[in-house]
Amino acid sequence: MSSPDITDSEREAVAAVLRTPYLSMGPEIEAFEESVASFVGAKHAVAVNSGTAGLHLCVRAMGVGEGDYVVTTPFSFVASANVLLYERAIPVFVDVDVQTGNIDPSLVAQVVQALNEGGPEAERWLPRRGAPSTGQVKAVLPVDVFGQPADYDELQAIAEQHGLLILEDSCEAIGARYKGKPAGMLGDAGVFAFYPNKQMTTAEGGVVVSDQDEIAELVRAMRNQGRAPGDTWLQHTYLGYNYRLSELSAALGRSQMERLDALVSKRERVAGWYSERLAHVDAVEVPQVVGSTTRMSWFVYVIRLAQGLDQAEIAEKLAEQGVPSRPYFAPIHLQPYFSEQFGYQTGDFPITEDLGARSLALPFSGVMPEEDVEYVCNAIAKAVNGPV
Ligand SMILES: Cc1ncc(COP(=O)(O)O)c(C=O)c1O
């Protein structure tokens, strides 16, 4: 489905680490953090060993705990909601904007209002079971889906009005911009992720960015077994984790950061080839980039099939032609452990479910040749229309 874009000099940067005594907690981590901080204009950047780890630490650093409500989206990769379950907080899902698949701010405003007022109106928004009605809304957790930022002007206004924190899941969106502002910096803290299918990679890894000293200091301490500044190796001020990133990964990340703009541009070009060719295929909708997205960062290229087409059947017809594809995303609320714990059912978030049922992620990377895009597009045309 994707291929990382790694140069010989980046390979050499990783190999060079093996010739030093520092395989963890050394100069590469510091350099990588500095490069991410300066790229997005953050006061702090803290590298961790996955995007999930970064989100989890932010949830803890923001003081979100047992029984707290966090308003978030079911149209995401499961990790964005799982990190709330790790802390026994309650994800309160609202449906998404049909065009972008990002959390719908007008629903966020309604749910926050209702939950603050309590009573039957609040009950309407809470899951059927597993959520105490005594919780308090602490935060909003929007996801920048597929590399397109959510609508932060609206979300920030709501957060300000109700004294909420915003944790931006920008795991799919490094390099994106919202009204000129860098993704990751649109809330109180943001998290990037660097699995090999991402815009840039550290093999496994992530970075938390924030302008807030307290959040960043807690995240930094908790990623390293809870050691606060000044603690010795066996002193642990906080309950922490081993969420450290290795020097090998940091070296790869630091060198990839040097060409992040170019990496995003290459993906943009491939996305352009797809959209140009698929514009002629009526049964397929291509991804929409909305006006507030001043730079789309193209994590994946996801098409939507026309109503009535069967996702599994089209995927099968593509596979027969040697083209892999994936439904993307599978709604979080319908994952077995979510519906078991909270009683979610099909029909609870219709836009998310419709997008989940009609979306197919196509093979995509910045190094994909134009002829491969051409081949995939012809395969799609055949799959949806019969031979062209
Ligand atoms: C929206 C979203 N959140 C969180 C994550 C988790 O990142 P990681 O796989 O690095 O833990 C991902 C990764 O794919 C993601 O797409």
Side-chain angles (χ1 to χ4, degrees):
M1 290 292 291
S2 78
S3 313
D5 180 340
I6 296 171
T7 61
D8 282 344
S9 74
E10 290 162 0
R11 286 185 196 96
E12 178 46 36
V14 176
V17 172
L18 293 172
R19 298 190 281 270
T20 75
Y22 300 106
L23 300 187
S24 184
M25 305 293 280
E28 288 292 351
I29 283 284
E30 278 175 31
F32 179 41
E33 290 178 344
E34 264 171 42
S35 70
V36 177
S38 91
F39 182 79
V40 296
K43 195 166 169 199
H44 305 282
V46 185
V48 286
N49 57 11
S50 72
T52 308
L55 290 166
H56 181 203
L57 293 183
C58 287
V59 167
R60 294 212 43 158
M62 287 178 166
V64 171
E66 181 155 8
D68 291 333
Y69 302 144
V70 176
V71 180
T72 189
T73 165
F75 191 62
S76 174
F77 181 67
V78 283
S80 61
N82 283 352
V83 295
L84 302 171
L85 301 191
Y86 298 165
E87 295 303 319
R88 300 185 191 282
I90 311 294
V92 179
F93 290 130
V94 297
D95 218 337
V96 295
D97 173 81
V98 71
Q99 214 180 351
T100 59
N102 282 327
I103 196 164
D104 181 339
S106 67
L107 296 176
V108 176
Q110 288 176 51
V111 75
V112 172
Q113 182 86 24
L115 291 174
N116 283 341
E117 279 167 18
E121 189 52 19
E123 299 285 322
R124 200 168 73 78
W125 292 93
L126 288 173
R128 285 182 187 80
R129 59 171 182 260
S133 56
T134 49
Q136 292 226 319
V137 193
K138 280 273 181 72
V140 183
L141 198 169
V143 177
D144 300 334
V145 166
F146 307 157
Q148 171 147 257
D151 191 350
Y152 287 92
D153 278 355
E154 299 286 323
L155 294 170
Q156 276 167 356
I158 299 162
E160 217 159 282
Q161 190 189 343
H162 297 278
L164 307 175
L165 292 164
I166 297 181
L167 170 51
E168 179 182 3
D169 180 342
S170 210
C171 286
E172 302 194 346
I174 193 165
R177 287 185 170 263
Y178 170 80
K179 301 186 181 176
K181 294 180 225 147
M185 296 303 292
L186 302 164
D188 295 277
V191 182
F192 301 124
F194 304 121
Y195 189 71
N197 62 354
K198 293 287 180 347
Q199 294 87 346
M200 55 164 276
T201 188
T202 56
E204 294 283 359
V207 166
V208 174
V209 288
S210 180
D211 278 341
Q212 297 191 25
D213 300 341
E214 200 184 332
I215 291 177
E217 277 163 25
L218 281 169
V219 167
R220 195 173 282 285
M222 287 190 293
R223 81 157 173 198
N224 185 24
Q225 302 286 16
R227 296 179 183 103
D231 279 354
T232 61
W233 191 251
L234 292 178
Q235 280 180 314
H236 308 271
T237 301
Y238 309 105
L239 168 65
Y241 307 85
N242 178 358
Y243 284 169
R244 297 183 299 257
L245 189 71
S246 79
E247 284 287 285
L248 298 157
S249 285
L252 180 56
R254 195 246 319 137
S255 43
Q256 291 246 295
M257 277 304 296
E258 286 170 19
R259 48 186 199 108
L260 179 57
D261 265 325
L263 288 169
V264 172
S265 296
K266 285 165 90 176
R267 297 173 90 89
E268 201 164 29
R269 191 170 64 145
V270 177
W273 292 334
Y274 263 128
S275 292
E276 200 182 296
R277 286 166 175 78
L278 292 174
H280 311 296
V281 183
D282 287 344
V284 158
E285 288 167 38
V286 299
Q288 298 295 310
V289 180
V290 294
S292 55
T293 303
T294 43
R295 186 160 206 205
M296 173 81 183
S297 147
W298 294 107
F299 164 48
V300 277
Y301 191 89
V302 180
I303 56 168
R304 293 181 191 169
L305 302 172
Q307 298 285 358
L309 285 176
D310 185 272
Q311 190 186 41
E313 194 181 307
I314 301 296
E316 180 61 38
K317 285 187 182 167
L318 289 175
E320 281 163 14
Q321 299 175 79
V323 175
S325 64
R326 300 272 185 281
Y328 202 72
F329 296 112
I332 297 178
H333 64 287
L334 298 178
Q335 298 293 337
Y337 62 102
F338 261 94
S339 48
E340 201 170 293
Q341 183 170 348
F342 296 111
Y344 286 121
Q345 297 169 4
T346 302
D348 284 346
F349 302 102
I351 299 175
T352 293
E353 290 166 28
D354 178 58
L355 297 183
R358 293 199 293 125
S359 296
L360 275 183
L362 302 179
F364 183 66
S365 76
V367 293
M368 189 168 173
E370 191 168 7
E371 55 270 29
D372 287 6
V373 173
E374 175 86 20
Y375 182 86
V376 174
C377 292
N378 287 335
I380 292 171
K382 277 186 210 151
V384 297
N385 299 327
V388 282

